[in-house]
Amino acid sequence: MGDTVGELLAERAGDDNPALFAGDAVWSWREVAAESAARAALLTAMTDGAPLHLGVLLENVPEYVFVLGGAALCGSVVVGINPTRRGDELARDIRHTDCRLVLTDATEAALL
């Protein structure tokens, strides 16, 4: 069995058993691994290929899981950004954790 999240995801890439449930939607391990790999490829393409600190300002949605998996596959670090923080505190949190990119959605974008 793998020692890292990336290795664990790779091991489940052919598994069609349910892995992620969100409301009425269900993703198999195969689908979670594929979505994670797509996020890893995007992160790699958006940067110089070096691992990065990726700030994630999202609620508890499936995309968060895919980004966590993608970061694990490409060696990046996810920094969970606290959506209860505002203004200078939020900016300090992002700077302090050396985020090169911040991922959010339309719901949370106004906080930035």
Side-chain angles (χ1 to χ4, degrees), residues 55-58 102-112:
V56 179
L57 179 59
L58 292 172
V102 175
L103 173 71
T104 192
D105 59 14
T107 304
E108 305 296 335
L111 296 176
L112 297 174

Side-chain angles (χ1 to χ4, degrees), residues 46-70:
M46 291 176 63
T47 65
D48 54 9
L52 68 135
H53 288 185
L54 171 67
V56 179
L57 179 59
L58 292 172
E59 293 294 327
N60 188 14
V61 294
E63 184 62 27
Y64 210 128
V65 173
F66 304 145
V67 170
L68 284 170

Side-chain angles (χ1 to χ4, degrees), residues 52-56 77-82 89-102:
L52 68 135
H53 288 185
L54 171 67
V56 179
V77 175
V78 169
V79 176
I81 299 175
N82 185 339
E89 289 178 334
L90 181 62
R92 186 195 64 76
D93 291 349
I94 294 168
R95 280 192 308 274
H96 180 73
T97 54
D98 196 29
C99 293
R100 286 183 52 199
L101 294 172
V102 175

